[in-house]
Amino acid sequence: MKKILMVLTSVSELGTGGEPTGYNVAEAAHPWKVFRDAGHFVDFASIKGGQPPQDTVDTDDPIQVQFTQDETTRAGLYNTARVEVIDPDQYDAIYLVGGHGTMWDFPNNEDLQQLIGAIYNSGGIVGAVCHGPAGLLDVELHHGIKLLSGKDVAAFTNDEEVAVGKDKIIPFSLADKLVEQGANHIAADDFEENIQVSERLVTGQNPASAAGVAKEMEKLLAAVIRQEKATDEASSDVDSAQAVED
């Protein structure tokens, strides 16, 4: 079992217009199910801590219903930890849940940047979907190079922003910012599934990509588990051989 941290926005309104927002429930629920079904432990954190705002739950989606009714999950979401108090050494992966609110509180947050960088630097896996990649901006690795530099990434596209009527509300174009920081932004057709895996960074374009991002993260986690098992077995064989010699 590995430990995965899911990070949520604390923004409840879009800009100054008062339109309600929050983390995208589908983008949290579907990866949560993938991680839980694989036997991993999932924790929640948010920018300000406490109970993060959520957007509308699709009651026709059984996974969203399961997510919002699961007692352990409800308890974890009731009082999330602030990202600034999270110990990165406790986690094998971090997943940034989308929602338009992330465009305001994920970028320029040094605590989130340091948390992501620390987990990646230690060999962990970083995932993000839709607007979640806003949290990847300005993340630096231990050698001073930006995490996004040279990486293939997917995120909510400019065309999709226009389609949902948010292009004049968001503070910046996420796709353009990713490219500015050296990423290779790869776009699919509007609202189609699109997942990009680049080393230990996994990103998705939109809500339809959320489960796919988690599945690709799980593949990387499974590879780590296999490697750890092989190392342990090799070490055990050496110890056994030494014991025989003694």
Side-chain angles (χ1 to χ4, degrees):
M1 174 184 288
K2 294 297 183 180
K3 292 185 69 175
I4 300 163
L5 182 69
M6 299 180 71
V7 180
L8 311 166
T9 181
S10 293
V11 171
S12 60
E13 294 184 357
L14 296 180
T16 58
E19 182 179 349
T21 190
Y23 71 87
N24 185 290
V25 178
E27 293 172 14
H30 287 261
W32 165 84
K33 181 169 175 56
V34 171
F35 296 143
R36 289 282 295 270
D37 286 353
H40 300 307
F41 185 82
V42 178
D43 271 347
F44 300 97
S46 61
I47 301 302
K48 292 184 178 180
Q51 188 169 14
Q54 66 178 36
D55 64 9
T56 304
V57 177
D58 181 359
T59 55
D60 291 328
D61 180 355
I63 295 176
Q64 291 189 48
V65 173
Q66 181 186 4
F67 175 79
T68 54
Q69 294 183 353
D70 181 83
E71 291 186 5
T72 301
T73 300
R74 286 167 65 92
L77 289 170
Y78 181 73
N79 189 23
T80 61
R82 303 186 311 279
V83 292
E84 65 190 75
V85 303
I86 296 294
D87 178 4
D89 293 337
Q90 297 299 310
Y91 296 96
D92 303 286
I94 184 170
Y95 169 74
L96 308 180
V97 180
H100 273 91
T102 62
M103 294 286 285
W104 279 266
D105 66 349
F106 274 19
N108 304 314
N109 187 293
E110 294 184 1
D111 295 312
L112 180 59
Q113 293 167 7
Q114 291 172 7
L115 179 61
I116 295 168
I119 290 174
Y120 195 89
N121 283 332
S122 65
I125 296 154
V126 175
V129 72
C130 201
H131 293 90
L136 305 175
L137 298 171
D138 297 312
V139 173
E140 289 191 359
L141 304 180
H142 54 72
H143 41 57
I145 296 176
K146 291 187 185 298
L147 170 62
L148 288 167
S149 180
K151 299 289 199 308
D152 292 339
V153 298
F156 210 61
T157 68
N158 293 338
D159 287 345
E160 286 173 322
E161 293 290 8
V162 172
V164 298
K166 298 293 191 298
D167 56 307
K168 300 297 193 298
I169 299 175
I170 53 174
F172 59 88
S173 160
L174 178 55
D176 292 351
K177 281 286 188 182
L178 293 169
V179 172
E180 287 176 14
Q181 296 211 349
N184 178 27
H185 178 252
I186 299 175
D189 290 341
D190 291 359
F191 311 113
E192 293 295 319
E193 182 183 39
N194 176 23
I195 297 101
Q196 297 297 321
V197 181
S198 197
E199 297 179 6
R200 287 176 285 108
L201 176 64
V202 185
T203 51
Q205 180 170 320
N206 44 41
S209 310
V213 168
K215 290 174 183 177
E216 293 298 332
M217 291 177 68
E218 163 54 21
K219 289 179 184 178
L220 294 174
L221 288 169
V224 171
I225 293 171
R226 288 194 299 270
Q227 181 60 46
E228 290 174 345
K229 183 178 180 180
T231 300
D232 289 343
E233 289 176 348
S235 178
S236 178
D237 289 344
V238 170
D239 291 342
S240 297
Q242 185 64 47
V244 170
E245 291 177 3
D246 294 341

